Amino acid sequence: MSTTELKIPFPSERLDALRFFIEKKEQNVEQELMDYLNKTYERLVPANVREYVESRLEQEPSQEQATEPQQPPAPRERQPRTSRRQREQATAEAPLFQEAQSEAEGPAEEETPGITMSM
């Protein structure tokens, strides 16, 4: 279940006094506020809506348990971005590299209809 933290302004002196007297009752401010919010929720939110919300809250833990055993996918490594100029240079160099590679293998003959060329 996801939770949201509420922050509200409250005078420090009043909070200190509240904490002092609430501790005498062996309680704490946070628990008292939670109880009050729950009572307010039950008083103001219609029963059918509360039922729907509770069913959603019950589904979340079962979905979390179903997904826990699976390992998260390994993060993909991003390739560094290349500029347009770098891409153009790479494509211009590719044919030169192929020509140099084929020359290293030996003289290549290229056939065209009716003409024979050798290098």
Side-chain angles (χ1 to χ4, degrees):
M1 168 180 25
S2 65
T3 59
T4 302
E5 183 177 24
L6 300 175
K7 293 183 179 185
I8 56 171
F10 194 74
S12 299
E13 294 81 18
R14 291 178 69 187
L15 181 59
D16 291 340
L18 178 61
R19 282 186 175 149
F20 177 78
F21 287 100
I22 208 166
E23 285 176 3
K24 286 186 175 188
K25 294 183 177 186
E26 296 180 4
Q27 297 174 344
N28 64 35
V29 176
E30 290 81 7
Q31 188 58 47
E32 285 293 315
L33 289 172
M34 284 295 296
D35 291 343
Y36 182 76
L37 281 173
N38 285 328
K39 288 176 187 174
T40 305
Y41 171 79
E42 289 176 9
R43 182 172 50 93
L44 296 176
V45 177
N48 58 344
V49 175
R50 289 195 315 260
E51 184 178 323
Y52 172 75
V53 170
E54 296 302 319
S55 70
R56 296 281 308 240
L57 293 174
E58 290 172 359
Q59 289 176 358
E60 282 182 14
S62 64
Q63 290 174 352
E64 288 175 7
Q65 289 173 356
T67 58
E68 280 180 17
Q70 298 174 354
Q71 294 291 331
R76 287 187 359 190
E77 290 186 29
R78 295 185 79 174
Q79 298 295 327
R81 292 190 68 155
T82 57
S83 68
R84 181 177 179 185
R85 184 175 181 193
Q86 289 171 327
R87 288 190 302 269
E88 289 172 353
Q89 287 176 343
T91 56
E93 291 173 357
L96 296 175
F97 176 73
Q98 289 173 350
E99 287 177 19
Q101 195 175 31
S102 64
E103 287 177 7
E105 292 173 359
E109 290 188 15
E110 193 173 303
E111 288 188 30
T112 54
I115 302 174
T116 305
M117 296 177 63
S118 64
M119 296 185 167

